[in-house]
Amino acid sequence: MSDSKLRLVRSFFNYRFFSIFLVFVALLLFFGFFSPHYRFTSLANIKILLGPGSEFSIIALGVGLLMVSGEFDLSVGSILVFCSFMFIRLFEIGMNLFLAGFITLGLGALLGFLNGFITTKARIPSFITTLGTMMLWRGVTLLLSLGYTRPFDTEVSPLLGSILTGKIGGVIPAQAIWFGAFGLVLGLVLHLHKFGNWIYATGDNKQAARAMGINTDRVKTICFMIVGVLCAFVAVMQIVRVSTFTSRAGDGWELKAIAASVVGGTSLMGGIGSMAGVFLGALTITVIENGLVLLRIPYFWTYIIFGLVIISSVLSSLYLERKRLGRD
Amino acid sequence: MTSSSGSEEERSLARMTGVEKWFGKVQALKGIDFEVRPSEVVGLVGDNGAGKSTLIKVLSGYHLADKGEIYFEEKRVNITSSLDARKLGIETVYQEQALAPNMSISRNIFMGREPAKPLGFMDKKSMDRGSMEALESIGLHLRSPDALIATLSGGERQGVAIVRALHFKAKLVILDEPTIALSVKEAREVLDFIKQLKREGISVIFITHNLYHVFPSADRFVVLGLGEKIADVEKKDTSIDELAELIVKPPSHD
């Protein structure tokens, strides 16, 4: 094997990624053996994992990217629900659904831009900015929708339905393909594109990045916008799947997305993380949620397990990292 | 050594005349004339608050002077940002702020200036090759361009930061306290890098408190005190003891 190939493999299986990989495999084995009637590995359940489960995971990819740049986004669930409302309104006035979809993506980009703009220009920690917009956009959506659900008719555009929620070959949910595609594209950007290098530099040492002429404010704002667009995309995808707008869409996803990134080896301080790690982290969170339901464990336990998995995965990756740095 | 081919305009690489800088009511620079010649290592020394860093920050575009002129290669220039300075070929290596610890050597060296293939993807091969060649050119032999900065010693980090300046065809490298917080061995490495820079025909401004570090490597010394130039002497005309005395002595007005 050539040297560069070997290096690629090695960086893929880097220490942080390796620990989440072990956790993920262990969870799969555990749920596979212990779910009653092996329901976890049934085709029906795998379709649920890969279909609706991918909706959350797509957003987690963006949140992970943003965290590498050193910022947080607590407003993902609220951006999602606001975009859902926008899309359902455009549907109700009879607009072409593809056009409506693109307008919704534009709204997502705009909301992400606002997060980035406020955070970078006013120098407010993004934790606070997005805490504010989290409440703001959900509040606005509740106000406009009065909290009622609204029906959506998938029959209006079967094409959009099959692009976003169809089954490839009748088996693989389109959502999973989208998740994989977004993961691949964002992974290429983060690891191989020069913009990815700017994201790492911005998160790792902002002063150094600025001194080298990188516009760190712009880098961060673009990352916020990527998150916003992904939220809008999932908003449309979700409405098409459930045929209903609900003002509870995306509720609680913000912390789950951060959890997925951290479990996947992303540093809360920025500058460290990989797209493969975030990808597996998102899958891990989805698998835990799903597996516990199948084990008939009361839902309240889910949070306890989440907590334990987050803390243990961070501890193990820190331990491995220290060991490695010590040896070098 | 003076190069006989040196025409009049090559005599000075960077020249600052009558530079003044105020911070509120405090005058940090009181009409300083400062010059660096090609392939010359200038030791810029002085006590805390002497104005060393302020002077250098004016030259590197971090501060704007309130008065005075800057000439680069005998042409009057306006340096209003670090980007302006870099375009001219002036690179500044700031202590500890220069590198991203969790990124690889080659990603640091090319930070913000990544060689790209179509669509903006990084040309990793040329980055790796470029970094290793540049590191070897100053005599720094590192295992792999993929090693993280966090795994390097202090001297090696300083070397990487200097190499980054070198690789982008810097004509003048400004080193702000490059040996502070380094062990004796690491400091010696950095001093070797500086000799190598000079051999490559690059001018260096070496700012430091430590006369024992600067004395063997510099050709000329400029001593600042309370915002004024106290002395500007060639190495052959002075000694460490004399310089030490000049640094402690307050500026005399004649």
Side-chain angles (χ1 to χ4, degrees), chain A residues 7 191-194 197-198 201 204-205 208 211-212 214 272 324-325, chain B residues 86 97-103 107 113-114 119-120 122 128 146 148 151:
Chain A
R7 222 154 47 202
H191 296 289
L192 300 179
H193 198 273
K194 57 184 186 178
N197 210 39
W198 301 350
D204 199 7
N205 187 344
M212 296 314 291
I214 295 171
I272 301 176
R324 192 185 73 120
L325 283 179
Chain B
R86 201 168 298 131
Q97 299 166 5
L99 302 172
N102 293 302
M103 292 170 72
R107 277 169 173 257
R113 297 181 276 202
E114 300 83 0
L119 294 175
M122 292 184 285
D128 287 352
D146 290 329
L148 300 187
T151 64

PDB file of all heavy atoms in Angstrom, chain A residues 7 191-194 197-198 201 204-205 208 211-212 214 272 324-325, chain B residues 86 97-103 107 113-114 119-120 122 128 146 148 151:
ATOM      1  N   ARG A   7      -1.631   6.613   5.051  1.00  0.00           N
ATOM      2  CA  ARG A   7      -1.859   7.764   5.900  1.00  0.00           C
ATOM      3  C   ARG A   7      -3.338   8.111   5.944  1.00  0.00           C
ATOM      4  O   ARG A   7      -3.879   8.480   6.978  1.00  0.00           O
ATOM      5  CB  ARG A   7      -1.062   8.948   5.372  1.00  0.00           C
ATOM      6  CG  ARG A   7      -0.412   9.706   6.480  1.00  0.00           C
ATOM      7  CD  ARG A   7       0.812  10.437   6.039  1.00  0.00           C
ATOM      8  NE  ARG A   7       0.650  11.186   4.825  1.00  0.00           N
ATOM      9  CZ  ARG A   7       1.674  11.538   4.049  1.00  0.00           C
ATOM     10  NH1 ARG A   7       2.879  11.181   4.366  1.00  0.00           N
ATOM     11  NH2 ARG A   7       1.465  12.237   2.964  1.00  0.00           N
ATOM     12  N   HIS A 191     -12.367  18.173   5.177  1.00  0.00           N
ATOM     13  CA  HIS A 191     -11.050  17.545   5.252  1.00  0.00           C
ATOM     14  C   HIS A 191     -10.153  17.821   4.054  1.00  0.00           C
ATOM     15  O   HIS A 191      -8.934  17.778   4.175  1.00  0.00           O
ATOM     16  CB  HIS A 191     -11.199  16.039   5.430  1.00  0.00           C
ATOM     17  CG  HIS A 191     -11.855  15.686   6.732  1.00  0.00           C
ATOM     18  ND1 HIS A 191     -11.226  15.841   7.938  1.00  0.00           N
ATOM     19  CD2 HIS A 191     -13.092  15.248   7.020  1.00  0.00           C
ATOM     20  CE1 HIS A 191     -12.040  15.486   8.910  1.00  0.00           C
ATOM     21  NE2 HIS A 191     -13.189  15.134   8.386  1.00  0.00           N
ATOM     22  N   LEU A 192     -10.742  18.092   2.898  1.00  0.00           N
ATOM     23  CA  LEU A 192      -9.896  18.212   1.714  1.00  0.00           C
ATOM     24  C   LEU A 192      -9.946  19.586   1.059  1.00  0.00           C
ATOM     25  O   LEU A 192      -9.062  19.951   0.298  1.00  0.00           O
ATOM     26  CB  LEU A 192     -10.295  17.151   0.670  1.00  0.00           C
ATOM     27  CG  LEU A 192     -10.174  15.698   1.152  1.00  0.00           C
ATOM     28  CD1 LEU A 192     -10.618  14.741   0.061  1.00  0.00           C
ATOM     29  CD2 LEU A 192      -8.739  15.382   1.554  1.00  0.00           C
ATOM     30  N   HIS A 193     -10.972  20.359   1.339  1.00  0.00           N
ATOM     31  CA  HIS A 193     -11.106  21.668   0.699  1.00  0.00           C
ATOM     32  C   HIS A 193     -10.397  22.722   1.531  1.00  0.00           C
ATOM     33  O   HIS A 193     -10.249  22.565   2.743  1.00  0.00           O
ATOM     34  CB  HIS A 193     -12.590  22.012   0.577  1.00  0.00           C
ATOM     35  CG  HIS A 193     -12.861  23.100  -0.417  1.00  0.00           C
ATOM     36  ND1 HIS A 193     -12.821  24.427  -0.077  1.00  0.00           N
ATOM     37  CD2 HIS A 193     -13.150  23.053  -1.736  1.00  0.00           C
ATOM     38  CE1 HIS A 193     -13.093  25.152  -1.153  1.00  0.00           C
ATOM     39  NE2 HIS A 193     -13.289  24.342  -2.170  1.00  0.00           N
ATOM     40  N   LYS A 194      -9.961  23.787   0.864  1.00  0.00           N
ATOM     41  CA  LYS A 194      -9.260  24.806   1.652  1.00  0.00           C
ATOM     42  C   LYS A 194     -10.205  25.496   2.628  1.00  0.00           C
ATOM     43  O   LYS A 194      -9.782  25.928   3.706  1.00  0.00           O
ATOM     44  CB  LYS A 194      -8.519  25.803   0.767  1.00  0.00           C
ATOM     45  CG  LYS A 194      -9.340  26.527  -0.241  1.00  0.00           C
ATOM     46  CD  LYS A 194      -8.414  27.394  -1.103  1.00  0.00           C
ATOM     47  CE  LYS A 194      -9.236  28.240  -2.038  1.00  0.00           C
ATOM     48  NZ  LYS A 194      -8.418  29.126  -2.845  1.00  0.00           N
ATOM     49  N   ASN A 197      -9.885  23.775   5.780  1.00  0.00           N
ATOM     50  CA  ASN A 197      -8.687  24.172   6.518  1.00  0.00           C
ATOM     51  C   ASN A 197      -8.920  25.473   7.275  1.00  0.00           C
ATOM     52  O   ASN A 197      -8.453  25.658   8.394  1.00  0.00           O
ATOM     53  CB  ASN A 197      -7.516  24.336   5.535  1.00  0.00           C
ATOM     54  CG  ASN A 197      -6.185  24.028   6.184  1.00  0.00           C
ATOM     55  OD1 ASN A 197      -6.078  23.109   6.980  1.00  0.00           O
ATOM     56  ND2 ASN A 197      -5.180  24.824   5.846  1.00  0.00           N
ATOM     57  N   TRP A 198      -9.697  26.365   6.665  1.00  0.00           N
ATOM     58  CA  TRP A 198     -10.014  27.631   7.340  1.00  0.00           C
ATOM     59  C   TRP A 198     -10.918  27.373   8.542  1.00  0.00           C
ATOM     60  O   TRP A 198     -10.818  28.050   9.561  1.00  0.00           O
ATOM     61  CB  TRP A 198     -10.697  28.607   6.380  1.00  0.00           C
ATOM     62  CG  TRP A 198      -9.882  28.938   5.169  1.00  0.00           C
ATOM     63  CD1 TRP A 198      -8.568  28.612   4.966  1.00  0.00           C
ATOM     64  CD2 TRP A 198     -10.311  29.634   3.999  1.00  0.00           C
ATOM     65  NE1 TRP A 198      -8.159  29.065   3.733  1.00  0.00           N
ATOM     66  CE2 TRP A 198      -9.202  29.694   3.121  1.00  0.00           C
ATOM     67  CE3 TRP A 198     -11.508  30.216   3.615  1.00  0.00           C
ATOM     68  CZ2 TRP A 198      -9.269  30.311   1.880  1.00  0.00           C
ATOM     69  CZ3 TRP A 198     -11.584  30.830   2.380  1.00  0.00           C
ATOM     70  CH2 TRP A 198     -10.478  30.879   1.523  1.00  0.00           C
ATOM     71  N   ALA A 201      -8.691  26.062  11.283  1.00  0.00           N
ATOM     72  CA  ALA A 201      -7.818  27.128  11.783  1.00  0.00           C
ATOM     73  C   ALA A 201      -8.617  28.101  12.641  1.00  0.00           C
ATOM     74  O   ALA A 201      -8.162  28.523  13.709  1.00  0.00           O
ATOM     75  CB  ALA A 201      -7.163  27.860  10.614  1.00  0.00           C
ATOM     76  N   ASP A 204      -9.367  26.395  15.921  1.00  0.00           N
ATOM     77  CA  ASP A 204      -8.207  25.993  16.708  1.00  0.00           C
ATOM     78  C   ASP A 204      -7.454  27.193  17.267  1.00  0.00           C
ATOM     79  O   ASP A 204      -7.075  27.208  18.437  1.00  0.00           O
ATOM     80  CB  ASP A 204      -7.272  25.142  15.830  1.00  0.00           C
ATOM     81  CG  ASP A 204      -6.312  24.311  16.659  1.00  0.00           C
ATOM     82  OD1 ASP A 204      -6.456  24.289  17.894  1.00  0.00           O
ATOM     83  OD2 ASP A 204      -5.429  23.674  16.067  1.00  0.00           O
ATOM     84  N   ASN A 205      -7.207  28.186  16.452  1.00  0.00           N
ATOM     85  CA  ASN A 205      -6.481  29.376  16.905  1.00  0.00           C
ATOM     86  C   ASN A 205      -6.922  30.553  16.047  1.00  0.00           C
ATOM     87  O   ASN A 205      -6.367  30.817  14.982  1.00  0.00           O
ATOM     88  CB  ASN A 205      -4.968  29.156  16.802  1.00  0.00           C
ATOM     89  CG  ASN A 205      -4.182  30.290  17.420  1.00  0.00           C
ATOM     90  OD1 ASN A 205      -4.721  31.375  17.672  1.00  0.00           O
ATOM     91  ND2 ASN A 205      -2.911  30.056  17.675  1.00  0.00           N
ATOM     92  N   ALA A 208      -4.274  33.183  15.096  1.00  0.00           N
ATOM     93  CA  ALA A 208      -3.363  32.741  14.041  1.00  0.00           C
ATOM     94  C   ALA A 208      -4.063  32.796  12.686  1.00  0.00           C
ATOM     95  O   ALA A 208      -3.488  33.262  11.703  1.00  0.00           O
ATOM     96  CB  ALA A 208      -2.869  31.322  14.326  1.00  0.00           C
ATOM     97  N   ALA A 211      -4.293  36.297  11.547  1.00  0.00           N
ATOM     98  CA  ALA A 211      -2.978  36.818  11.151  1.00  0.00           C
ATOM     99  C   ALA A 211      -2.579  36.297   9.772  1.00  0.00           C
ATOM    100  O   ALA A 211      -1.854  36.962   9.053  1.00  0.00           O
ATOM    101  CB  ALA A 211      -1.924  36.428  12.188  1.00  0.00           C
ATOM    102  N   MET A 212      -3.070  35.104   9.419  1.00  0.00           N
ATOM    103  CA  MET A 212      -2.740  34.551   8.110  1.00  0.00           C
ATOM    104  C   MET A 212      -3.751  34.986   7.043  1.00  0.00           C
ATOM    105  O   MET A 212      -3.786  34.429   5.956  1.00  0.00           O
ATOM    106  CB  MET A 212      -2.671  33.021   8.166  1.00  0.00           C
ATOM    107  CG  MET A 212      -1.575  32.478   9.057  1.00  0.00           C
ATOM    108  SD  MET A 212       0.015  33.290   8.829  1.00  0.00           S
ATOM    109  CE  MET A 212       0.421  32.695   7.197  1.00  0.00           C
ATOM    110  N   ILE A 214      -7.127  34.880   7.111  1.00  0.00           N
ATOM    111  CA  ILE A 214      -8.416  34.192   6.993  1.00  0.00           C
ATOM    112  C   ILE A 214      -9.489  35.060   7.657  1.00  0.00           C
ATOM    113  O   ILE A 214      -9.314  35.519   8.792  1.00  0.00           O
ATOM    114  CB  ILE A 214      -8.354  32.804   7.666  1.00  0.00           C
ATOM    115  CG1 ILE A 214      -7.367  31.905   6.924  1.00  0.00           C
ATOM    116  CG2 ILE A 214      -9.738  32.159   7.708  1.00  0.00           C
ATOM    117  CD1 ILE A 214      -7.083  30.595   7.625  1.00  0.00           C
ATOM    118  N   ILE A 272     -11.206  20.691  16.729  1.00  0.00           N
ATOM    119  CA  ILE A 272     -11.005  19.243  16.690  1.00  0.00           C
ATOM    120  C   ILE A 272     -12.322  18.567  16.327  1.00  0.00           C
ATOM    121  O   ILE A 272     -13.370  18.922  16.881  1.00  0.00           O
ATOM    122  CB  ILE A 272     -10.527  18.702  18.053  1.00  0.00           C
ATOM    123  CG1 ILE A 272      -9.216  19.358  18.467  1.00  0.00           C
ATOM    124  CG2 ILE A 272     -10.366  17.186  18.001  1.00  0.00           C
ATOM    125  CD1 ILE A 272      -8.735  18.938  19.837  1.00  0.00           C
ATOM    126  N   ARG A 324      -1.644   9.198  23.422  1.00  0.00           N
ATOM    127  CA  ARG A 324      -0.971   9.349  22.154  1.00  0.00           C
ATOM    128  C   ARG A 324       0.012  10.510  22.183  1.00  0.00           C
ATOM    129  O   ARG A 324       1.142  10.412  21.741  1.00  0.00           O
ATOM    130  CB  ARG A 324      -2.008   9.589  21.059  1.00  0.00           C
ATOM    131  CG  ARG A 324      -1.448   9.464  19.676  1.00  0.00           C
ATOM    132  CD  ARG A 324      -2.503   9.825  18.715  1.00  0.00           C
ATOM    133  NE  ARG A 324      -2.699  11.254  18.744  1.00  0.00           N
ATOM    134  CZ  ARG A 324      -2.539  12.032  17.683  1.00  0.00           C
ATOM    135  NH1 ARG A 324      -2.215  11.505  16.537  1.00  0.00           N
ATOM    136  NH2 ARG A 324      -2.716  13.319  17.759  1.00  0.00           N
ATOM    137  N   LEU A 325      -0.441  11.641  22.741  1.00  0.00           N
ATOM    138  CA  LEU A 325       0.438  12.811  22.793  1.00  0.00           C
ATOM    139  C   LEU A 325       1.638  12.513  23.680  1.00  0.00           C
ATOM    140  O   LEU A 325       2.742  12.956  23.408  1.00  0.00           O
ATOM    141  CB  LEU A 325      -0.319  14.027  23.334  1.00  0.00           C
ATOM    142  CG  LEU A 325      -1.246  14.698  22.340  1.00  0.00           C
ATOM    143  CD1 LEU A 325      -1.946  15.869  22.980  1.00  0.00           C
ATOM    144  CD2 LEU A 325      -0.487  15.156  21.119  1.00  0.00           C
TER     145      LEU A 325
ATOM    146  N   ARG B  86       2.380  41.844   4.140  1.00  0.00           N
ATOM    147  CA  ARG B  86       2.724  40.538   3.582  1.00  0.00           C
ATOM    148  C   ARG B  86       2.927  40.621   2.073  1.00  0.00           C
ATOM    149  O   ARG B  86       3.785  39.961   1.520  1.00  0.00           O
ATOM    150  CB  ARG B  86       1.633  39.532   3.939  1.00  0.00           C
ATOM    151  CG  ARG B  86       2.131  38.119   3.863  1.00  0.00           C
ATOM    152  CD  ARG B  86       1.161  37.157   4.498  1.00  0.00           C
ATOM    153  NE  ARG B  86       0.975  37.428   5.893  1.00  0.00           N
ATOM    154  CZ  ARG B  86      -0.227  37.521   6.457  1.00  0.00           C
ATOM    155  NH1 ARG B  86      -1.305  37.400   5.759  1.00  0.00           N
ATOM    156  NH2 ARG B  86      -0.312  37.747   7.751  1.00  0.00           N
ATOM    157  N   GLN B  97       1.381  32.805  19.073  1.00  0.00           N
ATOM    158  CA  GLN B  97       0.064  33.046  18.499  1.00  0.00           C
ATOM    159  C   GLN B  97       0.006  32.541  17.071  1.00  0.00           C
ATOM    160  O   GLN B  97      -1.026  32.572  16.445  1.00  0.00           O
ATOM    161  CB  GLN B  97      -0.246  34.543  18.461  1.00  0.00           C
ATOM    162  CG  GLN B  97      -0.271  35.175  19.804  1.00  0.00           C
ATOM    163  CD  GLN B  97      -0.230  36.673  19.682  1.00  0.00           C
ATOM    164  OE1 GLN B  97      -0.279  37.227  18.594  1.00  0.00           O
ATOM    165  NE2 GLN B  97      -0.145  37.346  20.804  1.00  0.00           N
ATOM    166  N   ALA B  98       1.142  32.079  16.595  1.00  0.00           N
ATOM    167  CA  ALA B  98       1.248  31.906  15.152  1.00  0.00           C
ATOM    168  C   ALA B  98       0.640  30.614  14.629  1.00  0.00           C
ATOM    169  O   ALA B  98       0.248  30.545  13.489  1.00  0.00           O
ATOM    170  CB  ALA B  98       2.721  31.980  14.756  1.00  0.00           C
ATOM    171  N   LEU B  99       0.567  29.587  15.473  1.00  0.00           N
ATOM    172  CA  LEU B  99       0.213  28.272  14.946  1.00  0.00           C
ATOM    173  C   LEU B  99      -1.058  27.720  15.591  1.00  0.00           C
ATOM    174  O   LEU B  99      -1.407  28.072  16.703  1.00  0.00           O
ATOM    175  CB  LEU B  99       1.369  27.289  15.191  1.00  0.00           C
ATOM    176  CG  LEU B  99       2.712  27.691  14.583  1.00  0.00           C
ATOM    177  CD1 LEU B  99       3.793  26.751  15.059  1.00  0.00           C
ATOM    178  CD2 LEU B  99       2.644  27.707  13.072  1.00  0.00           C
ATOM    179  N   ALA B 100      -1.716  26.830  14.857  1.00  0.00           N
ATOM    180  CA  ALA B 100      -2.897  26.138  15.373  1.00  0.00           C
ATOM    181  C   ALA B 100      -2.447  24.772  15.877  1.00  0.00           C
ATOM    182  O   ALA B 100      -2.025  23.933  15.083  1.00  0.00           O
ATOM    183  CB  ALA B 100      -3.950  25.988  14.284  1.00  0.00           C
ATOM    184  N   PRO B 101      -2.502  24.535  17.195  1.00  0.00           N
ATOM    185  CA  PRO B 101      -1.868  23.355  17.785  1.00  0.00           C
ATOM    186  C   PRO B 101      -2.444  22.016  17.339  1.00  0.00           C
ATOM    187  O   PRO B 101      -1.727  21.033  17.289  1.00  0.00           O
ATOM    188  CB  PRO B 101      -2.071  23.551  19.291  1.00  0.00           C
ATOM    189  CG  PRO B 101      -3.176  24.533  19.419  1.00  0.00           C
ATOM    190  CD  PRO B 101      -3.086  25.412  18.214  1.00  0.00           C
ATOM    191  N   ASN B 102      -3.736  21.987  17.009  1.00  0.00           N
ATOM    192  CA  ASN B 102      -4.336  20.700  16.656  1.00  0.00           C
ATOM    193  C   ASN B 102      -4.329  20.422  15.163  1.00  0.00           C
ATOM    194  O   ASN B 102      -5.007  19.510  14.694  1.00  0.00           O
ATOM    195  CB  ASN B 102      -5.764  20.625  17.190  1.00  0.00           C
ATOM    196  CG  ASN B 102      -5.774  20.602  18.698  1.00  0.00           C
ATOM    197  OD1 ASN B 102      -5.181  19.731  19.318  1.00  0.00           O
ATOM    198  ND2 ASN B 102      -6.413  21.591  19.302  1.00  0.00           N
ATOM    199  N   MET B 103      -3.598  21.253  14.436  1.00  0.00           N
ATOM    200  CA  MET B 103      -3.508  21.029  12.994  1.00  0.00           C
ATOM    201  C   MET B 103      -2.102  20.563  12.636  1.00  0.00           C
ATOM    202  O   MET B 103      -1.165  20.776  13.383  1.00  0.00           O
ATOM    203  CB  MET B 103      -3.863  22.311  12.242  1.00  0.00           C
ATOM    204  CG  MET B 103      -5.338  22.665  12.395  1.00  0.00           C
ATOM    205  SD  MET B 103      -5.727  24.303  11.767  1.00  0.00           S
ATOM    206  CE  MET B 103      -5.586  24.027  10.007  1.00  0.00           C
ATOM    207  N   ARG B 107      -0.597  21.826   7.147  1.00  0.00           N
ATOM    208  CA  ARG B 107      -1.799  22.658   7.161  1.00  0.00           C
ATOM    209  C   ARG B 107      -1.521  24.014   7.807  1.00  0.00           C
ATOM    210  O   ARG B 107      -2.133  25.012   7.461  1.00  0.00           O
ATOM    211  CB  ARG B 107      -2.926  21.953   7.906  1.00  0.00           C
ATOM    212  CG  ARG B 107      -3.673  20.952   7.033  1.00  0.00           C
ATOM    213  CD  ARG B 107      -4.594  20.098   7.854  1.00  0.00           C
ATOM    214  NE  ARG B 107      -5.411  19.263   7.004  1.00  0.00           N
ATOM    215  CZ  ARG B 107      -6.697  19.516   6.729  1.00  0.00           C
ATOM    216  NH1 ARG B 107      -7.303  20.556   7.256  1.00  0.00           N
ATOM    217  NH2 ARG B 107      -7.378  18.727   5.936  1.00  0.00           N
ATOM    218  N   ARG B 113      -3.374  30.084   2.664  1.00  0.00           N
ATOM    219  CA  ARG B 113      -2.773  30.225   1.331  1.00  0.00           C
ATOM    220  C   ARG B 113      -2.577  28.856   0.718  1.00  0.00           C
ATOM    221  O   ARG B 113      -1.551  28.562   0.112  1.00  0.00           O
ATOM    222  CB  ARG B 113      -1.421  30.934   1.442  1.00  0.00           C
ATOM    223  CG  ARG B 113      -1.563  32.346   1.968  1.00  0.00           C
ATOM    224  CD  ARG B 113      -0.233  33.032   2.046  1.00  0.00           C
ATOM    225  NE  ARG B 113       0.452  32.706   3.290  1.00  0.00           N
ATOM    226  CZ  ARG B 113       1.398  33.467   3.814  1.00  0.00           C
ATOM    227  NH1 ARG B 113       1.797  34.541   3.214  1.00  0.00           N
ATOM    228  NH2 ARG B 113       1.975  33.126   4.939  1.00  0.00           N
ATOM    229  N   GLU B 114      -3.575  27.999   0.926  1.00  0.00           N
ATOM    230  CA  GLU B 114      -3.475  26.605   0.488  1.00  0.00           C
ATOM    231  C   GLU B 114      -3.379  26.534  -1.034  1.00  0.00           C
ATOM    232  O   GLU B 114      -4.196  27.127  -1.730  1.00  0.00           O
ATOM    233  CB  GLU B 114      -4.710  25.829   0.947  1.00  0.00           C
ATOM    234  CG  GLU B 114      -4.925  25.783   2.448  1.00  0.00           C
ATOM    235  CD  GLU B 114      -5.616  27.023   2.996  1.00  0.00           C
ATOM    236  OE1 GLU B 114      -5.927  27.931   2.202  1.00  0.00           O
ATOM    237  OE2 GLU B 114      -5.844  27.081   4.213  1.00  0.00           O
ATOM    238  N   LEU B 119     -11.846  23.681  -8.173  1.00  0.00           N
ATOM    239  CA  LEU B 119     -12.915  23.665  -7.172  1.00  0.00           C
ATOM    240  C   LEU B 119     -12.429  23.992  -5.766  1.00  0.00           C
ATOM    241  O   LEU B 119     -13.188  23.925  -4.809  1.00  0.00           O
ATOM    242  CB  LEU B 119     -13.641  22.313  -7.129  1.00  0.00           C
ATOM    243  CG  LEU B 119     -14.447  21.927  -8.366  1.00  0.00           C
ATOM    244  CD1 LEU B 119     -15.001  20.512  -8.223  1.00  0.00           C
ATOM    245  CD2 LEU B 119     -15.585  22.914  -8.594  1.00  0.00           C
ATOM    246  N   GLY B 120     -11.163  24.335  -5.648  1.00  0.00           N
ATOM    247  CA  GLY B 120     -10.690  24.774  -4.334  1.00  0.00           C
ATOM    248  C   GLY B 120     -10.274  23.663  -3.398  1.00  0.00           C
ATOM    249  O   GLY B 120     -10.084  23.910  -2.210  1.00  0.00           O
ATOM    250  N   MET B 122      -7.646  21.231  -1.667  1.00  0.00           N
ATOM    251  CA  MET B 122      -6.234  21.448  -1.399  1.00  0.00           C
ATOM    252  C   MET B 122      -5.372  20.443  -2.153  1.00  0.00           C
ATOM    253  O   MET B 122      -5.721  19.284  -2.272  1.00  0.00           O
ATOM    254  CB  MET B 122      -5.961  21.305   0.098  1.00  0.00           C
ATOM    255  CG  MET B 122      -6.576  22.400   0.920  1.00  0.00           C
ATOM    256  SD  MET B 122      -6.138  22.261   2.650  1.00  0.00           S
ATOM    257  CE  MET B 122      -7.155  20.895   3.162  1.00  0.00           C
ATOM    258  N   ASP B 128       2.544  18.961   1.252  1.00  0.00           N
ATOM    259  CA  ASP B 128       3.463  18.121   2.029  1.00  0.00           C
ATOM    260  C   ASP B 128       4.898  18.290   1.549  1.00  0.00           C
ATOM    261  O   ASP B 128       5.823  18.445   2.338  1.00  0.00           O
ATOM    262  CB  ASP B 128       3.049  16.648   1.906  1.00  0.00           C
ATOM    263  CG  ASP B 128       1.799  16.360   2.709  1.00  0.00           C
ATOM    264  OD1 ASP B 128       1.367  17.258   3.459  1.00  0.00           O
ATOM    265  OD2 ASP B 128       1.251  15.255   2.584  1.00  0.00           O
ATOM    266  N   ASP B 146       2.515  15.547   8.487  1.00  0.00           N
ATOM    267  CA  ASP B 146       1.209  15.334   9.112  1.00  0.00           C
ATOM    268  C   ASP B 146       1.239  15.418  10.633  1.00  0.00           C
ATOM    269  O   ASP B 146       0.195  15.355  11.276  1.00  0.00           O
ATOM    270  CB  ASP B 146       0.659  13.957   8.716  1.00  0.00           C
ATOM    271  CG  ASP B 146       0.263  13.913   7.258  1.00  0.00           C
ATOM    272  OD1 ASP B 146      -0.136  14.971   6.738  1.00  0.00           O
ATOM    273  OD2 ASP B 146       0.357  12.844   6.644  1.00  0.00           O
ATOM    274  N   LEU B 148       1.076  16.731  14.273  1.00  0.00           N
ATOM    275  CA  LEU B 148       0.364  17.887  14.808  1.00  0.00           C
ATOM    276  C   LEU B 148       1.350  18.816  15.516  1.00  0.00           C
ATOM    277  O   LEU B 148       2.322  18.365  16.126  1.00  0.00           O
ATOM    278  CB  LEU B 148      -0.710  17.433  15.813  1.00  0.00           C
ATOM    279  CG  LEU B 148      -1.802  16.514  15.287  1.00  0.00           C
ATOM    280  CD1 LEU B 148      -2.863  16.293  16.351  1.00  0.00           C
ATOM    281  CD2 LEU B 148      -2.440  17.087  14.034  1.00  0.00           C
ATOM    282  N   THR B 151       2.442  18.212  19.075  1.00  0.00           N
ATOM    283  CA  THR B 151       3.413  17.182  19.427  1.00  0.00           C
ATOM    284  C   THR B 151       4.857  17.669  19.262  1.00  0.00           C
ATOM    285  O   THR B 151       5.787  16.918  19.526  1.00  0.00           O
ATOM    286  CB  THR B 151       3.230  15.926  18.547  1.00  0.00           C
ATOM    287  OG1 THR B 151       3.501  16.285  17.191  1.00  0.00           O
ATOM    288  CG2 THR B 151       1.816  15.390  18.641  1.00  0.00           C
TER     289      THR B 151
END
